[in-house]
Amino acid sequence: MIFPSADQIILDDIFVVLPGFLKHSTAYLKMESYNPGGSIKMKTAVALLDYAEQHAGLKQSRRVIESSSGNLGVAISLICAVRGYHFTCVVDKNTLPANIKLIEAYGAEVVVINKLDANGGYLGSRLAYIQEKLAQERGLVWLNQYQSPANPAVHSARTAQSIMTQFPNLDFVFIGAGTTGTLAGCTERLHKDSPSTRIIAVDSIGSVNFGGKPSRRFIPGLGSSVTPHFLREEGIADFISVEEADTVAMCHRMAREYGLLLGGSSGTVLAALAQYENAIPPGSTVVALSPDSGDRYIDTLYSQDWVDERFPDFYTDQAVA
């Protein structure tokens, strides 16, 4: 298979079965880590940049800014390198150092925000910085993953379609909620074309996405300190919020039992699936969406020092279990 350039490579049909993960049903993991940039955000990035070229004069200005917790920033920086755009990526102190290095390796500028917003997160502060830069630099284009219609649209057209193609009789799908672009796009498409599929939305405790109380979170990817523009309850069967310690435990379990080194978002989605198992009828077909791999989390989720500092009882609890 030959692609004209790196920004055109999208691998949307890789699923792996998880034997024994559910006692009475079959679970499959949709692997998005094989896309360039290493995550599902490759699709989002292509869609956002294509939309900005068509509607925001990006081909003329050639200067892009976006806020990211990491994976989207890597994907955008890759595509901007291919297309010759200058990219400023606004991240925060929770962003994985490996992602920051990758973004810079593609030639992008990285701005790290250290100031907490009113809800104890960083998103509000990242967005405030972007507004300042837009006021200062005429012609600067903000991709705005949080409100651009291109975000959910690409996941309706590609992510949901690939799931339905592989599983025409799907019973459950578990999808994480960050900006909720993936969740919104998949929900809209599945609700329309696969109405019997029950969509379970997954978030981290400490996020405000599902109306929870905001608190400090350590794992980037899912969750938000600002209510997402795309989030709608219609079409979603249930909402589950997961403790970050359970995310870490699931990531370690998947590595040691299945040989799958997964990122934090993937671990959260699978932890939700495990918690929800008793509500799943026997014989069901279940898909969990895995946004990224764990190779960039080696010094965080898979580091005993990092885990001990943030979750002091983690290894004791694991030994007892």
Side-chain angles (χ1 to χ4, degrees):
M1 185 178 297
I2 298 175
F3 294 91
S5 58
D7 60 332
Q8 300 300 311
I9 304 172
I10 299 293
L11 304 177
D12 220 358
D13 56 357
I14 300 176
F15 297 81
V16 61
V17 67
L18 302 178
F21 190 91
L22 299 175
K23 293 178 181 178
H24 305 294
S25 299
T26 304
Y28 300 86
L29 197 60
K30 186 180 191 308
M31 305 293 292
E32 296 282 352
S33 59
Y34 295 100
N35 288 308
S39 79
I40 194 171
K41 295 296 187 178
M42 187 66 184
K43 287 178 279 190
T44 308
V46 169
L48 291 172
L49 284 159
D50 286 349
Y51 186 86
E53 288 174 346
Q54 296 168 16
H55 301 283
L58 178 56
K59 287 185 176 180
Q60 289 71 44
S61 71
R62 312 196 73 77
R63 291 180 293 125
V64 180
I65 192 167
E66 182 57 293
S67 159
S68 171
S69 60
N71 283 332
L72 181 66
V74 173
I76 293 173
S77 62
L78 183 162
I79 300 167
C80 284
V82 173
R83 301 186 186 185
Y85 299 145
H86 179 272
F87 174 41
T88 300
C89 188
V90 184
V91 301
D92 60 59
K93 62 181 298 183
N94 279 344
T95 301
L96 298 174
N99 277 335
I100 291 176
K101 290 178 180 179
L102 283 169
I103 294 167
E104 292 176 333
Y106 285 118
E109 173 190 8
V110 176
V111 175
V112 181
I113 301 298
N114 295 302
K115 179 182 177 182
L116 292 169
D117 61 28
N119 283 327
Y122 294 99
L123 179 55
S125 298
R126 296 196 326 239
L127 296 180
Y129 177 86
I130 287 176
Q131 291 302 322
E132 292 176 7
K133 296 300 290 183
L134 291 173
Q136 295 168 4
E137 297 186 26
R138 184 177 180 181
L140 182 63
V141 175
W142 178 25
L143 298 180
N144 195 1
Q145 61 166 317
Y146 310 99
Q147 295 189 8
S148 172
N151 187 349
V154 72
H155 295 293
S156 173
R158 303 195 71 152
T159 308
Q161 180 61 56
S162 69
I163 294 171
M164 290 189 299
T165 298
Q166 187 67 46
F167 302 98
N169 298 306
L170 181 64
D171 297 299
F172 289 85
V173 61
F174 285 69
I175 303 173
T179 64
T180 67
T182 302
L183 177 62
C186 289
T187 299
E188 183 272 334
R189 183 66 183 280
L190 289 166
H191 187 55
K192 175 184 176 184
D193 294 338
S194 184
S196 63
T197 300
R198 292 175 60 82
I199 300 162
I200 311 299
V202 180
D203 196 14
S204 299
I205 288 178
S207 164
V208 304
N209 280 353
F210 300 163
K213 182 179 179 180
S215 61
R216 189 175 184 186
R217 291 172 289 115
F218 300 105
I219 302 173
L222 298 188
S224 178
S225 59
V226 177
T227 303
H229 170 76
F230 297 121
L231 183 59
R232 303 288 186 274
E233 293 189 11
E234 183 181 3
I236 297 176
D238 218 337
F239 298 82
I240 303 176
S241 293
V242 174
E243 293 277 6
E244 287 195 319
D246 293 334
T247 293
V248 177
M250 183 56 71
C251 287
H252 285 230
R253 175 189 170 189
M254 296 305 295
R256 293 171 183 178
E257 294 184 16
Y258 292 93
L260 294 171
L261 198 69
L262 303 177
S265 299
S266 305
T268 304
V269 170
L270 285 169
L273 173 54
Q275 292 175 21
Y276 203 75
E277 178 173 5
N278 289 339
I280 297 175
S284 296
T285 298
V286 183
V287 168
L289 194 59
S290 172
D292 65 350
S293 69
D295 53 351
R296 300 172 197 169
Y297 295 80
I298 289 297
D299 295 325
T300 58
L301 292 179
Y302 298 97
S303 163
Q304 183 166 346
D305 289 341
W306 187 92
V307 174
D308 278 341
E309 181 179 345
R310 292 156 182 82
F311 310 101
D313 299 324
F314 176 79
Y315 287 100
T316 301
D317 293 342
Q318 293 301 297
V320 171

